[in-house]
Amino acid sequence: MLENPTVAGLGFEESLHEPKEIGKCNYKYCSEELYEGEGYEFGGYLYCSTGCIGEHLVEENAAVDLSA
């Protein structure tokens, strides 16, 4: 029988580096925590998704939602 090398301790070595929190989503109804390698930066602000960026722009009248 073959044993999984990861379970046997022979697999890849993983780093225990915990990602650093870089901020929170700027959209007022979200505020999700963002960590290194996540999210988007737009206009100097952090957002967790393109959806939050879009909603924020519509609320600020910087964009028009044509689907409404």
Side-chain angles (χ1 to χ4, degrees):
M1 182 167 120
L2 295 174
E3 188 171 345
N4 184 329
T6 306
V7 175
L10 304 173
F12 297 105
E13 200 173 303
E14 290 188 33
S15 169
L16 296 177
H17 169 73
E18 298 230 0
K20 178 182 169 189
E21 184 178 335
I22 58 171
K24 294 185 186 243
C25 181
N26 189 60
Y27 184 49
K28 65 183 173 184
Y29 298 113
C30 182
S31 299
E32 182 175 321
E33 294 175 348
L34 296 169
Y35 294 89
E36 293 173 326
E38 292 183 336
Y40 301 88
E41 186 268 327
F42 179 79
Y45 297 102
L46 296 173
Y47 297 91
C48 68
S49 68
T50 56
C52 283
I53 295 170
E55 291 294 325
H56 182 86
L57 291 174
V58 168
E59 287 179 5
E60 297 292 318
N61 294 321
V64 177
D65 184 359
L66 298 177
S67 66

